[in-house]
């Protein structure tokens, strides 16, 4: 089975209404590892942006799964890219 994971960003420590607190990272990694093993994953696809998708990529790597990262590329002029 191939897993596609769209992650949730880890919230700032100061965020009072945290949906994904830093303290949950280890639990999320354990759950993802369990899913990969239970469903006999062979690969994982993710955007590798931040949070849960990075946890998934780490666990997939430790299990020896193939990993692919896809990123949305936007065409923009140099003026649009100014910070």
């Amino acid at each position: 089975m191939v897993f596609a994971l769209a992650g949730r960003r880890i919230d700032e420590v100061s965020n009072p209404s945290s949906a994904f607190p830093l303290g949950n990272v280890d639990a999320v990694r354990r759950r993802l590892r369990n899913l990969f093993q239970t469903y006999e994953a062979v690969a994982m696809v993710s955007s590798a942006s931040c949070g849960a998708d990075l946890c998934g990529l780490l666990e997939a790597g430790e299990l020896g799964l193939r990993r692919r990262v896809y990123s949305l590329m936007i065409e923009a002029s140099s003026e649009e890219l100014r910070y």
Side-chain angles (χ1 to χ4, degrees):
M1 179 174 287
V2 175
F3 275 78
L5 180 60
R8 169 87 184 156
R9 183 178 59 205
I10 299 168
D11 295 318
E12 301 265 340
V13 175
S14 61
N15 186 349
S17 60
S18 186
F20 186 4
L22 181 60
N24 288 1
V25 169
D26 290 337
V28 168
R29 286 187 67 173
R30 279 192 305 275
R31 289 176 183 169
L32 288 168
R33 177 180 283 266
N34 186 324
L35 281 171
F36 294 156
Q37 292 173 325
T38 299
Y39 291 97
E40 300 178 1
V42 295
M44 188 196 140
V45 178
S46 172
S47 65
S49 57
C50 185
D53 46 349
L54 292 178
C55 292
L57 286 168
L58 288 169
E59 290 303 315
E62 288 183 9
L63 292 170
L65 306 181
R66 291 181 64 192
R67 295 166 287 166
R68 292 292 177 261
V69 174
Y70 289 93
S71 178
L72 175 63
M73 299 298 288
I74 326 173
E75 201 171 309
S77 69
S78 58
E79 287 140 17
E80 294 172 309
L81 295 175
R82 287 191 189 151
Y83 299 135

